[in-house]
Amino acid sequence: MKKYLAEVVGTFWLVLGGCGSAVLAAAFPDVGIGLLGVSLAFGLTVVTMAFAIGHISGCHLNPAVTFGLWAGGRFESKDILPYVLAQVIGGVIAGGVLYVIATGQAGFDVVASGFASNGYGEHSPGGYSFMAALVCELVMTAVFLFVIMGATDSRAPQGFAPIAIGLCLTLIHLISIPVTNTSVNPARSTGVAVFVGDWAISQLWLFWVAPIVGGMIGAIIYKIVDGEIKEI
């Protein structure tokens, strides 16, 4: 159970830290952290938890990472479902804590604010289409898994993987927040969408399918580049 509990705690921190920065601090009067701050916050959650629980669970914090590592031959299939359940539970708990904090401000409307939910079309921060959101989430998650596979390779410099992975997630957010509010993580998307309901739930499927497919593609591409797969 230790590794599952570690995934609950780690994903809790990722959603609370990342989405919390977006909901509470991004546009705070005069000292708002903006998109740069939110991007950095997501990266920092991964760095801090990778050092804290990486030796316990591997610090996936993300169903797309779990499926990607499985596709890359780095994770056993028997642990996929428990890991994903733990990640979603951690994300929803974090969403609940954030909801309690955010609604403590007079006039806060969880639906009107979007509550850091991911979306496309009229619910995309920049009004990007479904196709743009699909491609963005798929490609960004593929690159994320490519970096994770490489940074955690036994031949890579030891001890630096959390930094490389955290910086990669920061860069992904810097690129894609305007498109989808950046998911690349179904547990992160679910953790806040359940409190928004309505459109956030109806569009949630995309933020499960695209990251998981993208993650597996990225892991397989790494294996091809590394020579583990000789032919496609």
Side-chain angles (χ1 to χ4, degrees):
M1 288 296 295
K2 291 190 297 183
K3 57 189 178 183
Y4 306 141
L5 289 173
E7 286 295 302
V8 171
V9 174
T11 311
F12 169 87
W13 182 232
L14 182 146
V15 175
L16 184 62
C19 295
S21 68
V23 172
L24 304 175
F28 190 77
D30 303 321
V31 291
I33 62 174
L35 299 186
L36 177 60
V38 173
S39 300
L40 185 60
F42 272 101
L44 289 174
T45 63
V46 171
V47 172
T48 51
M49 274 298 160
F51 281 116
I53 67 169
H55 56 287
I56 301 174
S57 70
C59 193
H60 295 193
L61 317 186
N62 180 344
V65 172
T66 297
F67 276 97
L69 292 177
W70 168 76
R74 304 270 188 91
F75 194 70
E76 296 185 22
S77 58
K78 67 180 179 64
D79 279 330
I80 291 176
L81 181 58
Y83 261 59
V84 171
L85 287 174
Q87 292 154 3
V88 172
I89 289 169
V92 172
I93 293 173
V97 171
L98 181 57
Y99 179 84
V100 171
I101 295 171
T103 54
Q105 181 185 49
F108 180 83
D109 186 329
V110 66
V111 176
S113 71
F115 204 53
S117 291
N118 303 113
Y120 54 85
E122 64 179 310
H123 302 295
S124 157
Y128 287 83
S129 68
F130 166 81
M131 184 56 66
L134 173 63
V135 171
C136 184
E137 289 290 325
L138 192 145
V139 172
M140 295 299 164
T141 317
V143 173
F144 191 38
L145 262 295
F146 187 92
V147 170
I148 290 172
M149 290 283 289
T152 57
D153 193 296
S154 60
R155 296 162 295 174
Q158 298 301 297
F160 293 98
I163 298 172
I165 295 167
L167 288 175
C168 181
L169 188 61
T170 298
L171 178 56
I172 286 170
H173 278 79
L174 287 173
I175 297 168
S176 60
I177 285 178
V179 183
T180 62
N181 230 8
T182 309
S183 171
V184 301
N185 184 340
R188 167 261 189 269
S189 299
T190 304
V192 290
V194 295
F195 293 92
V196 176
D198 194 35
W199 65 266
I201 293 295
S202 67
Q203 294 191 353
L204 182 59
W205 70 271
L206 175 66
F207 302 103
W208 273 86
V209 174
I212 289 175
V213 173
M216 291 192 291
I217 290 173
I220 292 170
I221 290 175
Y222 179 81
K223 293 184 71 178
I224 294 170
V225 171
D226 192 44
E228 292 182 53
I229 299 177
K230 302 302 182 183
E231 296 180 0
I232 301 177

